[in-house]
Amino acid sequence: LMLADLRESMARLDNRVFAELRGYVDPPEAVLRTLQALLLLLHPRRELSDWAQCRQLITLALVKALESYNPLDQRQHPRLSQVRDLLQGIPADSVTQHGSLPTQYIHSWLSVCVSLLEHASSLAMTTPLASDGQSSSEGPEPVSS
């Protein structure tokens, strides 16, 4: 339910909002870390060490990726610890004080996604081995044709 509410809020973000975020020459730390966390979550194979790299990915395609992302579809995220560290490094009032409304929505959405991913990961780790000796978190064997 909470994820659905946040998705609804995120759906209100449009290209103008992301143009505002792209417009930062040197964003406040809270904005930068929030966007880095978002981009790492959605693009785990990308290197996002500076604002220029992040700025290139803030497009309408990002809005579509946000709308379709479901943390419940994943058992593990390759960069979850980095995403969590980025978010934890942001004081709670800093997003409100220095960030825009879109940044607040993104931060809230990320916090829920990280919690769900951590919960799914902990469940996968505690799932007993299946009868064939494989953990159910490994998923089914590929079917050969």
Side-chain angles (χ1 to χ4, degrees), residues 5-62:
D5 290 343
L6 286 170
R7 271 202 186 118
E8 189 176 308
S9 295
M10 296 300 284
R12 292 187 199 124
L13 303 181
D14 61 14
N15 204 33
R16 291 175 301 176
V17 167
F18 287 96
E20 171 193 329
L21 295 173
R22 279 192 311 270
Y24 281 115
V25 174
D26 185 23
E29 188 71 14
V31 173
L32 176 61
R33 291 176 71 97
T34 300
L35 291 173
Q36 282 177 317
L38 172 67
L39 294 167
L40 279 176
L41 185 72
L42 298 176
H43 302 289
R45 290 174 176 69
R46 295 277 198 145
E47 286 303 318
L48 302 165
S49 58
D50 64 23
W51 176 239
Q53 292 170 325
C54 293
R55 182 189 270 174
Q56 291 175 350
L57 296 173
I58 301 172
T59 65
L60 194 54
L62 181 62

CSV table of all heavy atoms in Angstrom, one decimal, residues 5-62:
chain,number,residue,atom,x,y,z
A,5,ASP,N,1.2,4.2,-2.9
A,5,ASP,CA,1.0,5.6,-2.7
A,5,ASP,C,2.2,6.4,-3.2
A,5,ASP,O,2.1,7.4,-3.8
A,5,ASP,CB,0.8,5.9,-1.2
A,5,ASP,CG,-0.5,5.4,-0.6
A,5,ASP,OD1,-1.4,5.2,-1.5
A,5,ASP,OD2,-0.6,5.3,0.6
A,6,LEU,N,3.4,5.8,-2.9
A,6,LEU,CA,4.6,6.5,-3.4
A,6,LEU,C,4.7,6.5,-4.9
A,6,LEU,O,5.1,7.5,-5.6
A,6,LEU,CB,5.8,5.9,-2.8
A,6,LEU,CG,6.1,6.2,-1.3
A,6,LEU,CD1,7.2,5.4,-0.7
A,6,LEU,CD2,6.4,7.7,-1.1
A,7,ARG,N,4.3,5.4,-5.5
A,7,ARG,CA,4.2,5.3,-7.0
A,7,ARG,C,3.3,6.4,-7.6
A,7,ARG,O,3.6,7.0,-8.6
A,7,ARG,CB,3.8,4.0,-7.5
A,7,ARG,CG,4.8,3.0,-7.6
A,7,ARG,CD,4.4,1.9,-8.5
A,7,ARG,NE,5.5,0.9,-8.5
A,7,ARG,CZ,5.3,-0.4,-8.1
A,7,ARG,NH1,4.2,-0.8,-7.7
A,7,ARG,NH2,6.3,-1.2,-8.1
A,8,GLU,N,2.2,6.6,-6.9
A,8,GLU,CA,1.3,7.7,-7.4
A,8,GLU,C,1.9,9.0,-7.3
A,8,GLU,O,1.8,9.8,-8.2
A,8,GLU,CB,0.0,7.6,-6.5
A,8,GLU,CG,-1.1,8.5,-7.0
A,8,GLU,CD,-2.3,8.3,-6.1
A,8,GLU,OE1,-2.8,7.2,-5.9
A,8,GLU,OE2,-2.9,9.4,-5.7
A,9,SER,N,2.6,9.3,-6.2
A,9,SER,CA,3.4,10.6,-6.1
A,9,SER,C,4.4,10.7,-7.2
A,9,SER,O,4.6,11.7,-7.8
A,9,SER,CB,4.0,10.7,-4.7
A,9,SER,OG,3.1,10.7,-3.7
A,10,MET,N,5.1,9.6,-7.4
A,10,MET,CA,6.2,9.6,-8.4
A,10,MET,C,5.6,9.8,-9.8
A,10,MET,O,6.3,10.4,-10.7
A,10,MET,CB,7.0,8.3,-8.4
A,10,MET,CG,7.8,8.1,-7.0
A,10,MET,SD,9.0,9.4,-6.7
A,10,MET,CE,10.3,9.0,-7.8
A,11,ALA,N,4.4,9.3,-10.0
A,11,ALA,CA,3.8,9.5,-11.4
A,11,ALA,C,3.5,10.9,-11.7
A,11,ALA,O,3.4,11.3,-12.8
A,11,ALA,CB,2.5,8.6,-11.4
A,12,ARG,N,3.4,11.7,-10.6
A,12,ARG,CA,3.1,13.2,-10.8
A,12,ARG,C,4.4,13.9,-11.3
A,12,ARG,O,4.3,15.0,-11.8
A,12,ARG,CB,2.6,13.8,-9.6
A,12,ARG,CG,1.3,13.3,-9.2
A,12,ARG,CD,0.7,14.1,-8.0
A,12,ARG,NE,-0.3,13.3,-7.3
A,12,ARG,CZ,-0.4,13.0,-6.1
A,12,ARG,NH1,0.6,13.3,-5.3
A,12,ARG,NH2,-1.4,12.3,-5.6
A,13,LEU,N,5.5,13.3,-11.2
A,13,LEU,CA,6.7,13.9,-11.6
A,13,LEU,C,6.8,13.8,-13.1
A,13,LEU,O,6.7,12.8,-13.7
A,13,LEU,CB,8.0,13.2,-11.0
A,13,LEU,CG,8.0,13.2,-9.4
A,13,LEU,CD1,9.2,12.5,-9.0
A,13,LEU,CD2,7.9,14.6,-8.8
A,14,ASP,N,7.0,14.9,-13.7
A,14,ASP,CA,7.1,14.9,-15.2
A,14,ASP,C,8.4,15.5,-15.7
A,14,ASP,O,9.3,15.8,-14.9
A,14,ASP,CB,5.9,15.7,-15.8
A,14,ASP,CG,5.9,17.2,-15.4
A,14,ASP,OD1,6.9,17.7,-14.9
A,14,ASP,OD2,4.9,17.8,-15.6
A,15,ASN,N,8.6,15.6,-17.0
A,15,ASN,CA,9.8,16.0,-17.5
A,15,ASN,C,10.3,17.4,-17.0
A,15,ASN,O,11.4,17.7,-16.9
A,15,ASN,CB,9.8,16.0,-19.1
A,15,ASN,CG,11.2,15.8,-19.6
A,15,ASN,OD1,12.0,15.2,-19.1
A,15,ASN,ND2,11.4,16.4,-20.8
A,16,ARG,N,9.3,18.3,-16.8
A,16,ARG,CA,9.7,19.6,-16.2
A,16,ARG,C,10.4,19.5,-14.9
A,16,ARG,O,11.3,20.3,-14.6
A,16,ARG,CB,8.4,20.5,-16.1
A,16,ARG,CG,7.8,20.9,-17.4
A,16,ARG,CD,6.5,21.7,-17.1
A,16,ARG,NE,5.7,20.8,-16.4
A,16,ARG,CZ,4.5,21.1,-15.9
A,16,ARG,NH1,4.0,22.3,-16.0
A,16,ARG,NH2,3.8,20.2,-15.2
A,17,VAL,N,9.9,18.6,-14.1
A,17,VAL,CA,10.5,18.4,-12.8
A,17,VAL,C,12.0,17.9,-13.0
A,17,VAL,O,12.9,18.4,-12.3
A,17,VAL,CB,9.7,17.4,-12.0
A,17,VAL,CG1,10.5,16.9,-10.8
A,17,VAL,CG2,8.4,18.0,-11.6
A,18,PHE,N,12.2,17.0,-13.9
A,18,PHE,CA,13.5,16.5,-14.1
A,18,PHE,C,14.4,17.5,-14.8
A,18,PHE,O,15.6,17.5,-14.6
A,18,PHE,CB,13.4,15.1,-14.8
A,18,PHE,CG,13.0,14.0,-13.9
A,18,PHE,CD1,11.6,13.6,-13.9
A,18,PHE,CD2,13.8,13.4,-13.0
A,18,PHE,CE1,11.2,12.7,-13.1
A,18,PHE,CE2,13.4,12.4,-12.2
A,18,PHE,CZ,12.1,12.1,-12.2
A,19,ALA,N,13.8,18.4,-15.6
A,19,ALA,CA,14.5,19.5,-16.1
A,19,ALA,C,15.1,20.4,-15.0
A,19,ALA,O,16.2,20.9,-15.1
A,19,ALA,CB,13.7,20.3,-17.1
A,20,GLU,N,14.2,20.6,-14.0
A,20,GLU,CA,14.7,21.4,-12.9
A,20,GLU,C,15.9,20.7,-12.2
A,20,GLU,O,16.9,21.4,-11.9
A,20,GLU,CB,13.5,21.5,-11.8
A,20,GLU,CG,13.9,22.1,-10.5
A,20,GLU,CD,12.9,21.9,-9.4
A,20,GLU,OE1,11.7,21.9,-9.8
A,20,GLU,OE2,13.2,21.8,-8.3
A,21,LEU,N,15.8,19.4,-12.0
A,21,LEU,CA,16.9,18.7,-11.4
A,21,LEU,C,18.2,18.7,-12.2
A,21,LEU,O,19.3,18.9,-11.7
A,21,LEU,CB,16.5,17.3,-11.1
A,21,LEU,CG,15.4,17.1,-10.0
A,21,LEU,CD1,15.0,15.6,-9.9
A,21,LEU,CD2,15.8,17.6,-8.7
A,22,ARG,N,18.0,18.6,-13.6
A,22,ARG,CA,19.1,18.7,-14.5
A,22,ARG,C,19.7,20.0,-14.5
A,22,ARG,O,20.9,20.2,-14.8
A,22,ARG,CB,18.7,18.3,-15.9
A,22,ARG,CG,18.6,16.8,-16.2
A,22,ARG,CD,18.5,16.5,-17.7
A,22,ARG,NE,17.5,17.3,-18.3
A,22,ARG,CZ,16.2,17.0,-18.5
A,22,ARG,NH1,15.8,15.8,-18.0
A,22,ARG,NH2,15.3,17.7,-19.1
A,23,GLY,N,18.9,21.1,-14.1
A,23,GLY,CA,19.4,22.4,-14.2
A,23,GLY,C,20.4,22.8,-13.1
A,23,GLY,O,21.1,23.8,-13.2
A,24,TYR,N,20.6,22.0,-12.1
A,24,TYR,CA,21.6,22.3,-11.1
A,24,TYR,C,23.0,22.2,-11.7
A,24,TYR,O,23.3,21.3,-12.4
A,24,TYR,CB,21.5,21.2,-10.0
A,24,TYR,CG,20.4,21.4,-9.0
A,24,TYR,CD1,19.4,20.4,-8.8
A,24,TYR,CD2,20.4,22.5,-8.1
A,24,TYR,CE1,18.4,20.5,-7.9
A,24,TYR,CE2,19.4,22.6,-7.1
A,24,TYR,CZ,18.4,21.6,-7.0
A,24,TYR,OH,17.5,21.8,-6.1
A,25,VAL,N,23.7,23.2,-11.4
A,25,VAL,CA,25.1,23.2,-11.8
A,25,VAL,C,25.9,22.5,-10.8
A,25,VAL,O,26.8,21.6,-11.1
A,25,VAL,CB,25.7,24.7,-12.0
A,25,VAL,CG1,27.2,24.7,-12.3
A,25,VAL,CG2,24.9,25.4,-13.1
A,26,ASP,N,25.6,22.8,-9.5
A,26,ASP,CA,26.3,22.1,-8.4
A,26,ASP,C,25.2,21.9,-7.3
A,26,ASP,O,24.9,22.7,-6.5
A,26,ASP,CB,27.4,23.0,-7.8
A,26,ASP,CG,28.2,22.4,-6.7
A,26,ASP,OD1,28.2,21.1,-6.7
A,26,ASP,OD2,28.7,23.1,-5.9
A,27,PRO,N,24.5,20.7,-7.4
A,27,PRO,CA,23.4,20.5,-6.5
A,27,PRO,C,23.8,20.4,-5.1
A,27,PRO,O,24.9,20.0,-4.8
A,27,PRO,CB,22.8,19.2,-7.0
A,27,PRO,CG,24.0,18.5,-7.6
A,27,PRO,CD,24.8,19.6,-8.2
A,28,PRO,N,22.8,20.7,-4.2
A,28,PRO,CA,23.1,20.5,-2.7
A,28,PRO,C,23.4,19.0,-2.5
A,28,PRO,O,22.9,18.1,-3.3
A,28,PRO,CB,21.8,20.9,-2.1
A,28,PRO,CG,21.1,21.8,-3.0
A,28,PRO,CD,21.5,21.3,-4.4
A,29,GLU,N,24.2,18.7,-1.5
A,29,GLU,CA,24.6,17.3,-1.2
A,29,GLU,C,23.4,16.4,-1.1
A,29,GLU,O,23.5,15.3,-1.6
A,29,GLU,CB,25.4,17.3,0.1
A,29,GLU,CG,26.1,16.0,0.4
A,29,GLU,CD,27.2,15.6,-0.6
A,29,GLU,OE1,27.8,16.5,-1.3
A,29,GLU,OE2,27.6,14.5,-0.5
A,30,ALA,N,22.4,16.8,-0.5
A,30,ALA,CA,21.2,16.0,-0.3
A,30,ALA,C,20.6,15.6,-1.6
A,30,ALA,O,20.1,14.5,-1.8
A,30,ALA,CB,20.1,16.7,0.6
A,31,VAL,N,20.5,16.5,-2.5
A,31,VAL,CA,20.0,16.3,-3.9
A,31,VAL,C,20.9,15.3,-4.6
A,31,VAL,O,20.4,14.3,-5.2
A,31,VAL,CB,19.8,17.6,-4.7
A,31,VAL,CG1,19.4,17.3,-6.1
A,31,VAL,CG2,18.7,18.5,-4.0
A,32,LEU,N,22.2,15.6,-4.6
A,32,LEU,CA,23.1,14.7,-5.3
A,32,LEU,C,23.1,13.3,-4.8
A,32,LEU,O,23.0,12.4,-5.6
A,32,LEU,CB,24.6,15.3,-5.2
A,32,LEU,CG,25.7,14.4,-5.8
A,32,LEU,CD1,25.5,14.3,-7.3
A,32,LEU,CD2,27.0,15.1,-5.5
A,33,ARG,N,23.1,13.1,-3.5
A,33,ARG,CA,23.1,11.8,-2.9
A,33,ARG,C,21.8,11.0,-3.2
A,33,ARG,O,21.8,9.8,-3.5
A,33,ARG,CB,23.4,11.8,-1.4
A,33,ARG,CG,24.9,12.3,-1.1
A,33,ARG,CD,25.1,12.4,0.3
A,33,ARG,NE,25.1,11.1,1.0
A,33,ARG,CZ,26.2,10.4,1.3
A,33,ARG,NH1,27.4,10.9,1.0
A,33,ARG,NH2,26.2,9.3,1.9
A,34,THR,N,20.7,11.8,-3.1
A,34,THR,CA,19.4,11.1,-3.4
A,34,THR,C,19.4,10.7,-4.9
A,34,THR,O,18.9,9.5,-5.2
A,34,THR,CB,18.3,12.1,-3.1
A,34,THR,OG1,18.3,12.5,-1.7
A,34,THR,CG2,16.9,11.5,-3.4
A,35,LEU,N,19.8,11.5,-5.8
A,35,LEU,CA,19.8,11.1,-7.2
A,35,LEU,C,20.8,10.0,-7.5
A,35,LEU,O,20.5,9.2,-8.3
A,35,LEU,CB,20.0,12.4,-8.1
A,35,LEU,CG,18.8,13.3,-8.1
A,35,LEU,CD1,19.1,14.6,-8.8
A,35,LEU,CD2,17.5,12.7,-8.6
A,36,GLN,N,21.9,10.1,-6.9
A,36,GLN,CA,22.9,9.0,-7.1
A,36,GLN,C,22.3,7.7,-6.6
A,36,GLN,O,22.5,6.6,-7.3
A,36,GLN,CB,24.2,9.3,-6.3
A,36,GLN,CG,25.1,10.3,-7.0
A,36,GLN,CD,26.4,10.6,-6.1
A,36,GLN,OE1,26.3,10.7,-4.9
A,36,GLN,NE2,27.5,10.6,-6.8
A,37,ALA,N,21.6,7.7,-5.5
A,37,ALA,CA,21.0,6.5,-4.9
A,37,ALA,C,19.9,6.0,-5.9
A,37,ALA,O,19.9,4.8,-6.2
A,37,ALA,CB,20.4,6.7,-3.6
A,38,LEU,N,19.1,6.9,-6.4
A,38,LEU,CA,18.1,6.5,-7.4
A,38,LEU,C,18.7,5.9,-8.6
A,38,LEU,O,18.3,4.8,-9.1
A,38,LEU,CB,17.3,7.7,-7.7
A,38,LEU,CG,16.2,7.5,-8.9
A,38,LEU,CD1,15.1,6.6,-8.4
A,38,LEU,CD2,15.7,8.9,-9.3
A,39,LEU,N,19.7,6.5,-9.2
A,39,LEU,CA,20.3,6.0,-10.4
A,39,LEU,C,21.0,4.7,-10.2
A,39,LEU,O,21.0,3.9,-11.1
A,39,LEU,CB,21.2,7.1,-11.0
A,39,LEU,CG,20.4,8.4,-11.4
A,39,LEU,CD1,21.4,9.5,-11.7
A,39,LEU,CD2,19.6,8.1,-12.6
A,40,LEU,N,21.7,4.5,-9.0
A,40,LEU,CA,22.3,3.2,-8.8
A,40,LEU,C,21.3,2.1,-8.6
A,40,LEU,O,21.5,1.0,-9.1
A,40,LEU,CB,23.1,3.3,-7.5
A,40,LEU,CG,24.5,3.9,-7.6
A,40,LEU,CD1,25.2,4.0,-6.2
A,40,LEU,CD2,25.4,3.1,-8.5
A,41,LEU,N,20.1,2.4,-8.0
A,41,LEU,CA,19.1,1.4,-7.9
A,41,LEU,C,18.6,1.0,-9.3
A,41,LEU,O,18.4,-0.2,-9.6
A,41,LEU,CB,18.0,2.0,-7.1
A,41,LEU,CG,16.8,1.0,-6.7
A,41,LEU,CD1,17.3,0.0,-5.7
A,41,LEU,CD2,15.6,1.7,-6.2
A,42,LEU,N,18.4,2.0,-10.1
A,42,LEU,CA,17.8,1.7,-11.5
A,42,LEU,C,18.8,1.3,-12.5
A,42,LEU,O,18.5,0.6,-13.5
A,42,LEU,CB,17.0,2.9,-12.0
A,42,LEU,CG,15.8,3.3,-11.1
A,42,LEU,CD1,15.2,4.6,-11.6
A,42,LEU,CD2,14.8,2.2,-11.0
A,43,HIS,N,20.1,1.7,-12.3
A,43,HIS,CA,21.2,1.4,-13.3
A,43,HIS,C,22.4,0.9,-12.5
A,43,HIS,O,23.4,1.5,-12.4
A,43,HIS,CB,21.5,2.7,-14.0
A,43,HIS,CG,20.4,3.3,-14.8
A,43,HIS,ND1,19.9,2.7,-15.9
A,43,HIS,CD2,19.8,4.5,-14.6
A,43,HIS,CE1,18.9,3.5,-16.4
A,43,HIS,NE2,18.8,4.6,-15.6
A,44,PRO,N,22.3,-0.3,-11.9
A,44,PRO,CA,23.3,-0.8,-11.1
A,44,PRO,C,24.7,-1.0,-11.7
A,44,PRO,O,25.7,-1.1,-11.1
A,44,PRO,CB,22.8,-2.1,-10.5
A,44,PRO,CG,21.7,-2.5,-11.4
A,44,PRO,CD,21.2,-1.3,-12.0
A,45,ARG,N,24.7,-1.1,-13.0
A,45,ARG,CA,26.0,-1.4,-13.7
A,45,ARG,C,26.7,-0.1,-14.1
A,45,ARG,O,27.8,-0.1,-14.7
A,45,ARG,CB,25.8,-2.3,-14.9
A,45,ARG,CG,25.4,-3.7,-14.5
A,45,ARG,CD,25.1,-4.6,-15.7
A,45,ARG,NE,24.8,-5.9,-15.3
A,45,ARG,CZ,23.8,-6.4,-14.6
A,45,ARG,NH1,22.9,-5.6,-14.2
A,45,ARG,NH2,23.7,-7.7,-14.4
A,46,ARG,N,26.1,1.1,-13.9
A,46,ARG,CA,26.7,2.3,-14.3
A,46,ARG,C,27.6,2.9,-13.2
A,46,ARG,O,27.3,2.6,-12.0
A,46,ARG,CB,25.6,3.4,-14.5
A,46,ARG,CG,24.7,3.1,-15.6
A,46,ARG,CD,25.3,3.7,-16.9
A,46,ARG,NE,24.3,3.8,-17.9
A,46,ARG,CZ,24.3,4.7,-18.8
A,46,ARG,NH1,25.2,5.6,-18.8
A,46,ARG,NH2,23.3,4.8,-19.7
A,47,GLU,N,28.6,3.6,-13.6
A,47,GLU,CA,29.4,4.3,-12.6
A,47,GLU,C,28.9,5.7,-12.5
A,47,GLU,O,28.7,6.4,-13.5
A,47,GLU,CB,30.9,4.3,-13.1
A,47,GLU,CG,31.6,3.0,-12.9
A,47,GLU,CD,31.5,2.5,-11.4
A,47,GLU,OE1,31.7,3.3,-10.5
A,47,GLU,OE2,31.3,1.3,-11.3
A,48,LEU,N,28.6,6.2,-11.3
A,48,LEU,CA,28.0,7.5,-11.1
A,48,LEU,C,28.7,8.2,-10.0
A,48,LEU,O,28.2,8.6,-9.0
A,48,LEU,CB,26.5,7.3,-10.7
A,48,LEU,CG,25.7,6.5,-11.7
A,48,LEU,CD1,24.4,6.1,-11.0
A,48,LEU,CD2,25.4,7.4,-12.9
A,49,SER,N,30.0,8.5,-10.3
A,49,SER,CA,30.8,9.2,-9.2
A,49,SER,C,30.6,10.7,-9.2
A,49,SER,O,31.0,11.3,-8.2
A,49,SER,CB,32.3,8.8,-9.5
A,49,SER,OG,32.7,9.2,-10.7
A,50,ASP,N,30.1,11.3,-10.3
A,50,ASP,CA,30.0,12.8,-10.2
A,50,ASP,C,28.7,13.2,-10.8
A,50,ASP,O,27.9,12.5,-11.4
A,50,ASP,CB,31.2,13.5,-10.9
A,50,ASP,CG,31.3,13.2,-12.4
A,50,ASP,OD1,30.3,12.8,-13.0
A,50,ASP,OD2,32.4,13.3,-12.9
A,51,TRP,N,28.4,14.5,-10.6
A,51,TRP,CA,27.1,15.1,-11.0
A,51,TRP,C,27.0,15.0,-12.5
A,51,TRP,O,25.9,14.8,-13.0
A,51,TRP,CB,27.0,16.5,-10.5
A,51,TRP,CG,25.8,17.2,-11.0
A,51,TRP,CD1,25.7,18.4,-11.7
A,51,TRP,CD2,24.4,16.8,-10.8
A,51,TRP,NE1,24.4,18.7,-12.0
A,51,TRP,CE2,23.6,17.7,-11.4
A,51,TRP,CE3,23.9,15.7,-10.1
A,51,TRP,CZ2,22.2,17.6,-11.4
A,51,TRP,CZ3,22.5,15.6,-10.1
A,51,TRP,CH2,21.7,16.6,-10.7
A,52,ALA,N,28.0,15.2,-13.3
A,52,ALA,CA,27.9,15.2,-14.8
A,52,ALA,C,27.4,13.8,-15.3
A,52,ALA,O,26.5,13.7,-16.1
A,52,ALA,CB,29.2,15.5,-15.4
A,53,GLN,N,27.9,12.7,-14.6
A,53,GLN,CA,27.4,11.4,-15.0
A,53,GLN,C,25.9,11.2,-14.6
A,53,GLN,O,25.1,10.6,-15.4
A,53,GLN,CB,28.2,10.3,-14.4
A,53,GLN,CG,29.7,10.3,-14.9
A,53,GLN,CD,30.5,9.4,-14.1
A,53,GLN,OE1,30.4,9.3,-12.8
A,53,GLN,NE2,31.5,8.7,-14.7
A,54,CYS,N,25.5,11.7,-13.5
A,54,CYS,CA,24.2,11.6,-13.0
A,54,CYS,C,23.2,12.4,-13.9
A,54,CYS,O,22.2,12.0,-14.3
A,54,CYS,CB,24.0,12.1,-11.6
A,54,CYS,SG,24.8,11.0,-10.4
A,55,ARG,N,23.6,13.6,-14.2
A,55,ARG,CA,22.8,14.5,-15.0
A,55,ARG,C,22.4,13.9,-16.3
A,55,ARG,O,21.3,14.1,-16.8
A,55,ARG,CB,23.6,15.8,-15.2
A,55,ARG,CG,22.7,16.9,-15.9
A,55,ARG,CD,23.6,18.0,-16.3
A,55,ARG,NE,23.5,19.0,-15.3
A,55,ARG,CZ,24.3,20.1,-15.3
A,55,ARG,NH1,25.2,20.3,-16.2
A,55,ARG,NH2,24.1,21.0,-14.3
A,56,GLN,N,23.3,13.2,-16.9
A,56,GLN,CA,23.0,12.6,-18.3
A,56,GLN,C,21.9,11.6,-18.2
A,56,GLN,O,21.2,11.4,-19.2
A,56,GLN,CB,24.2,11.9,-18.8
A,56,GLN,CG,25.3,12.9,-19.2
A,56,GLN,CD,26.6,12.1,-19.7
A,56,GLN,OE1,26.7,10.9,-19.5
A,56,GLN,NE2,27.5,12.9,-20.2
A,57,LEU,N,21.7,11.0,-17.0
A,57,LEU,CA,20.6,10.0,-16.9
A,57,LEU,C,19.3,10.5,-16.4
A,57,LEU,O,18.3,9.7,-16.3
A,57,LEU,CB,21.1,8.9,-16.0
A,57,LEU,CG,22.3,8.1,-16.4
A,57,LEU,CD1,22.8,7.2,-15.3
A,57,LEU,CD2,22.0,7.3,-17.7
A,58,ILE,N,19.2,11.8,-16.1
A,58,ILE,CA,18.0,12.4,-15.6
A,58,ILE,C,17.2,12.8,-16.9
A,58,ILE,O,17.3,13.9,-17.4
A,58,ILE,CB,18.2,13.5,-14.7
A,58,ILE,CG1,19.0,13.1,-13.5
A,58,ILE,CG2,16.9,14.2,-14.2
A,58,ILE,CD1,19.5,14.2,-12.6
A,59,THR,N,16.4,11.9,-17.4
A,59,THR,CA,15.6,12.0,-18.6
A,59,THR,C,14.2,11.5,-18.4
A,59,THR,O,13.9,11.0,-17.4
A,59,THR,CB,16.3,11.3,-19.8
A,59,THR,OG1,16.2,9.9,-19.5
A,59,THR,CG2,17.7,11.7,-20.0
A,60,LEU,N,13.4,11.6,-19.5
A,60,LEU,CA,12.1,11.1,-19.4
A,60,LEU,C,12.1,9.6,-19.3
A,60,LEU,O,11.2,9.0,-18.7
A,60,LEU,CB,11.3,11.5,-20.7
A,60,LEU,CG,9.8,11.3,-20.7
A,60,LEU,CD1,9.2,12.0,-19.5
A,60,LEU,CD2,9.2,11.8,-22.0
A,61,ALA,N,13.2,8.9,-19.8
A,61,ALA,CA,13.3,7.5,-19.6
A,61,ALA,C,13.4,7.1,-18.1
A,61,ALA,O,13.0,6.0,-17.7
A,61,ALA,CB,14.5,7.0,-20.4
A,62,LEU,N,14.0,8.0,-17.3
A,62,LEU,CA,14.1,7.8,-15.9
A,62,LEU,C,12.7,7.7,-15.3
A,62,LEU,O,12.4,6.9,-14.4
A,62,LEU,CB,14.9,8.8,-15.2
A,62,LEU,CG,15.1,8.7,-13.7
A,62,LEU,CD1,15.9,7.4,-13.4
A,62,LEU,CD2,15.9,9.9,-13.2
